[in-house]
Amino acid sequence: MESIKRRLSWIGLISLVIVIATVGVNNVVEADTNSPPGSTDDPIVTKSYVDRKIAEATGVGPVGGGAGAGESSKLQVVTVPLGKKIVVQDGGELIVRSGKAVAYSTDANGLSDMTDGLDIAPGKPVGTNHLILFPRGGRGVQADPKQKFGLIVLVRGNYQIQ
């Protein structure tokens, strides 16, 4: 009698597992598949969707099949002759590649050295291969007057050689 009760309890347990599994599979199969990709109901997205959203957020690369961002988003190699300075406009970036540079500003505010996380005061040295940010125009770099050659810099954004 005891063995029959055990068999019935195992059969009941197995039947319960089968019923639960069947209900779970039916719920998955009947899930709403009409949600557009990328919505909150369907968070799995395609690579092209992610690429498009990144391009929209950063402004770099094609958006909606159009052309890329403007020329100002490209790094330009610029030679700054000795005795001249490069003045970068609002939002520009600069990297000194060759030569010894010093910061230039028309006021007491300096340049933002993003590599070291420092503010470079006017007249102070600018590190080679450091990313320099220009939150406002009227600031730039010039070759250190103690050297014999000019500078080679990479610039992103609008600038003037003065």
Side-chain angles (χ1 to χ4, degrees):
M1 192 60 130
E2 193 68 35
S3 66
I4 293 175
K5 285 183 182 179
R6 280 190 211 156
R7 283 187 184 166
L8 288 177
S9 67
W10 276 106
I11 291 173
L13 182 61
I14 291 172
S15 298
L16 180 62
V17 169
I18 291 172
V19 168
I20 290 173
T22 303
V23 170
V25 169
N26 284 340
N27 285 341
V28 170
V29 171
E30 293 175 7
D32 182 19
T33 58
N34 295 329
S35 300
S39 70
T40 56
D41 295 331
D42 185 15
I44 298 174
V45 296
T46 63
K47 180 183 179 307
S48 61
Y49 175 83
V50 172
D51 290 344
R52 188 175 76 236
K53 289 299 182 183
I54 290 172
E56 288 172 2
T58 61
V60 177
V63 178
E71 287 292 319
S72 65
S73 69
K74 293 182 180 177
L75 281 171
Q76 300 174 23
V77 178
V78 178
T79 301
V80 182
L82 186 63
K84 299 280 187 175
K85 60 186 154 263
I86 181 168
V87 178
V88 182
Q89 298 202 1
D90 298 1
E93 300 172 338
L94 178 136
I95 299 171
V96 177
R97 292 292 294 147
S98 174
K100 294 184 188 241
V102 293
Y104 165 80
S105 180
T106 56
D107 56 23
N109 296 314
L111 313 177
S112 298
D113 184 341
M114 304 306 290
T115 304
D116 282 343
L118 301 172
D119 189 52
I120 304 172
K124 297 296 180 184
V126 176
T128 306
N129 296 320
H130 285 222
L131 176 61
I132 308 300
L133 180 66
F134 297 85
R136 292 191 194 137
R139 301 174 188 173
V141 297
Q142 59 190 14
D144 187 336
K146 298 174 188 169
Q147 70 178 11
K148 296 180 181 181
F149 302 103
L151 303 172
I152 297 176
V153 298
L154 297 174
V155 181
R156 185 185 324 260
N158 296 325
Y159 66 91
Q160 291 179 342
I161 302 288
Q162 298 178 351

